[in-house]
């Protein structure tokens, strides 16, 4: 279905909706009672393969299509959606969504103009990546299984999953704009199970991006991910119990940026700050972190998992400086919250699908590099923890408190990385952690492309990144004192 790389043409031909009908739908939804309205069309193909115990154990294809119709009146949103896309169904959706707008602005929808080209071309799509031959995908997973098992006899099982999707979207807005985007996405996850003397540990790695499986084949990335998963499993198999107590923690570059994303990034989203429930509310212009910290959200990085040509409201994505040398500079915004706060749009209005309301969300969030080398940072620590990878975590947006489990960590003793430890949990407060950053490395690295962010029941792909940083004082939960 190569027509999916031209979404506007695809949707018009598939559903037979002309511009006059689209204008009528928005007119009946917005009328003269609301501030804004839009239609969000989506067609999504999602393929998944799973390998376990040396064979492909799961294969699935899911196709979802539908349209969501939204009406915004001040701080209220009316939303209706349908997976049966007909003009009659959409008229009913428009009537339902308009019920929220008993009061509001006085804006008659503008005539729909010419399609607006996207200012970015971050992920060229010659053809939907879901057209990749099934045999090629199966062989990729089989090679992963063979390589992992051949690496070490202690690797007893390999679990690998490959997901490929293509998403075509078209946004029609009451300001007359019509914007479309074709979005590829590929993700590989590899988990290796190691066993020795009755003990079992695992290692997980993976990656992908906004492309087809070629982003995994380039430079044999999929084999590099496999090597990392094997290495992490074997390291954890030899690890000691983690110590407990407050100590200096060094976060490695790359995926540990997930701590920044969760403990700080969510608190910088516009809706939480408009409502005054974030730890960063009403603090623009104030110092919230060490002067070594500059935090950026950038949805314009080519091919990255969290990148988009336009957000799910048709706004071009951008590079937004959130914290500059320790000073809070701004928040991430969608259309509604930006308007209510009197702040500029940042291109961060995102939604999981046509069945969901957009809200402010991160894209690729990371800290800019400093001047120290990673070796200098390690040498500066007499006793501490070196956290290389993280698993699950939780954060309270209202106060920034977080709990994260480290899936790979080591002791630092007398300025050297020594023994691996397992069971380490980092417990702290996001804003306090940023204030305690005393060294920032020159080795900024983004994650390999596996991040998924959850908020209010919605999940979207994101990217994270971090240089090596030293934090002077985080509580480490462990089983050894």
């Amino acid at each position: 279905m190569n027509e999916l790389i031209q979404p506007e043409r695809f949707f018009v031909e598939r559903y037979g909706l002309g511009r006059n009908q689209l204008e009528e739908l928005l007119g009946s939804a917005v009328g003269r009672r609301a501030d804004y309205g839009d239609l969000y069309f989506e067609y999504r193909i999602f393929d998944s393969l799973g390998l376990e115990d040396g064979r492909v154990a799961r294969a699935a294809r899911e196709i979802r299509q539908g349209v969501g119709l939204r009406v915004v009146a001040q701080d209220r949103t009316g939303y209706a959606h349908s997976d049966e896309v007909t003009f009659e169904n959409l008229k009913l959706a428009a009537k339902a969504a308009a019920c929220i707008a008993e009061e509001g602005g006085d804006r008659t929808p503008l005539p729909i103009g010419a399609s607006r080209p996207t200012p970015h071309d971050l992920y060229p799509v010659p053809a939907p990546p879901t057209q990749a031959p099934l045999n090629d995908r199966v062989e990729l997973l089989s090679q992963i299984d063979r390589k992992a098992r051949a690496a070490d006899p202690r690797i007893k099982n390999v679990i690998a999953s490959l997901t490929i999707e293509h998403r075509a979207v078209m946004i029609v807005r009451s300001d007359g704009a019509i914007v479309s985007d074709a979005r590829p996405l590929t993700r590989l996850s590899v988990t290796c199970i190691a066993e020795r003397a009755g003990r079992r540990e695992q290692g997980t790695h993976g990656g992908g991006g906004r492309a087809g499986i070629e982003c995994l084949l380039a430079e044999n990335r999929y084999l590099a991910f496999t090597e990392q998963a094997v290495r992490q499993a074997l390291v954890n198999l030899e690890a000691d119990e983690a110590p407990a107590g407050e100590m200096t923690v060094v976060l490695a570059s790359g995926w540990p940026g997930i701590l920044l994303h969760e403990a700080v990034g969510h608190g910088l989203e516009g809706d939480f700050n408009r409502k005054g429930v974030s730890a960063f509310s009403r603090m623009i212009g104030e110092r919230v972190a060490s002067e070594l910290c500059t935090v950026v959200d950038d949805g314009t990085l080519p091919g990255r998992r969290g990148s988009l040509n336009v957000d799910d409201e048709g706004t071009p994505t951008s590079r937004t400086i959130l914290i500059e040398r320790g000073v809070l500079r701004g928040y991430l915004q969608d259309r509604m919250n930006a308007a209510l706060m009197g702040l500029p749009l940042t291109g961060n209005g995102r939604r999981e699908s046509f069945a969901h309301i957009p809200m402010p969300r991160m894209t690729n969030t990371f800290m800019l590099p400093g001047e120290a080398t990673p070796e200098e940072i390690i040498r500066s620590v007499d006793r501490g923890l070196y956290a290389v990878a993280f698993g699950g975590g939780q954060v309270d947006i209202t106060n920034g408190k977080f709990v994260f489990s480290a899936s790979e960590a080591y002791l630092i003793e007398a300025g050297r990385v020594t023994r691996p430890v397992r069971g380490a949990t980092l417990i702290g407060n996001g804003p306090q952690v940023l204030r305690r950053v005393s060294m920032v490395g020159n080795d900024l690295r983004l994650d390999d492309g596996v991040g998924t962010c959850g908020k209010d029941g919605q999940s979207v792909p994101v990217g994270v990144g971090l240089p090596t940083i030293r934090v002077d004082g985080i509580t480490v939960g462990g089983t050894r004192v």
Side-chain angles (χ1 to χ4, degrees), residues 7 40 116-123 167 169-171 173 178-183 210 299-300 306-318 346-351 363:
Y40 181 85
R116 298 188 184 181
T118 58
H120 311 308
D121 189 14
L122 304 175
Y123 32 86
R167 192 183 304 236
V169 303
M170 181 176 74
I171 303 108
R173 304 193 317 220
I178 181 169
V179 183
S180 61
D181 197 18
R183 300 171 176 174
R210 289 210 173 271
T300 70
S307 295
L308 294 169
N309 289 321
V310 293
D311 71 5
D312 293 322
E313 299 178 307
T315 303
T317 52
S318 64
T346 60
N348 290 89
R350 305 189 63 188
R351 62 180 105 197
T363 56

Side-chain angles (χ1 to χ4, degrees), residues 134-424:
L134 180 60
N135 288 343
D136 292 353
R137 306 184 213 180
V138 172
E139 177 57 23
L140 185 147
L141 293 180
S142 297
Q143 287 188 43
I144 288 171
D145 183 77
R146 291 194 295 267
K147 182 176 181 62
R149 292 178 185 275
D152 194 286
R154 291 172 291 178
I155 300 298
K156 301 302 182 182
N157 197 9
V158 180
I159 303 169
S161 64
L162 174 64
T163 59
I164 303 175
E165 76 168 62
H166 183 78
R167 192 183 304 236
V169 303
M170 181 176 74
I171 303 108
V172 186
R173 304 193 317 220
S174 59
D175 63 0
I178 181 169
V179 183
S180 61
D181 197 18
R183 300 171 176 174
L185 191 64
T186 295
R187 183 183 189 272
L188 172 69
S189 177
V190 181
T191 297
C192 294
I193 311 296
E195 295 182 10
R196 178 179 61 82
R199 179 170 161 186
R200 173 182 293 188
E201 296 289 344
Q202 71 177 39
T204 299
H205 205 81
R210 289 210 173 271
I213 61 172
E214 65 271 12
C215 72
L216 302 175
L217 299 173
E219 301 178 349
N220 290 325
R221 288 180 74 205
Y222 71 106
L223 295 179
F225 298 156
T226 305
E227 292 172 357
Q228 289 282 17
V230 168
R231 183 194 58 77
Q232 188 180 101
L234 297 178
V235 165
N236 286 331
L237 200 61
E238 304 299 326
D240 298 329
E241 297 293 331
E246 184 169 303
M247 62 184 68
T248 299
V249 173
V250 175
L251 301 180
S253 63
W255 179 244
I258 190 64
L259 190 148
L260 180 74
H261 168 104
E262 294 287 359
V264 178
H266 278 298
L268 297 175
E269 292 168 338
D271 48 354
F272 295 129
N273 287 281
R274 177 179 64 82
K275 297 171 184 176
V277 298
S278 167
F280 295 99
S281 295
R282 295 178 291 277
M283 294 188 70
I284 289 182
E286 297 184 22
R287 182 167 298 283
V288 296
S290 159
E291 65 177 12
L292 299 174
C293 297
T294 296
V295 179
V296 170
D297 184 88
D298 193 343
T300 70
L301 303 177
R304 301 299 306 183
R305 180 172 168 83
S307 295
L308 294 169
N309 289 321
V310 293
D311 71 5
D312 293 322
E313 299 178 307
T315 303
T317 52
S318 64
R319 181 182 176 92
T320 304
I321 297 177
L322 299 169
I323 298 172
E324 183 178 30
R325 296 187 62 82
V327 177
L328 182 61
R329 295 301 185 193
Y331 304 123
L332 301 174
Q333 299 288 5
D334 63 351
R335 291 180 67 88
M336 184 182 78
N337 287 283
L340 292 171
M341 297 178 75
L343 295 173
L345 287 169
T346 60
N348 290 89
R350 305 189 63 188
R351 62 180 105 197
E352 180 177 323
S353 75
F354 70 89
H356 298 85
I357 297 173
M359 64 183 77
R361 305 293 297 272
M362 285 171 276
T363 56
N364 305 297
T365 310
F366 50 94
M367 183 182 293
L368 295 189
E371 298 179 355
T373 67
E375 295 76 18
E376 288 171 339
I377 295 175
I378 294 294
R379 285 199 301 269
S380 73
V381 179
D382 182 57
R383 178 180 179 274
L385 187 77
Y386 181 45
V388 174
F390 286 98
Q394 296 179 335
V395 62
D396 185 337
I397 300 300
T398 61
N399 54 31
K401 292 182 179 179
F402 64 81
V403 178
F404 276 92
S405 59
S407 55
E408 182 180 352
Y410 303 82
L411 292 179
I412 303 175
E413 298 172 300
R416 294 176 56 248
V417 176
T418 58
R419 296 166 290 160
V421 294
R422 68 180 188 277

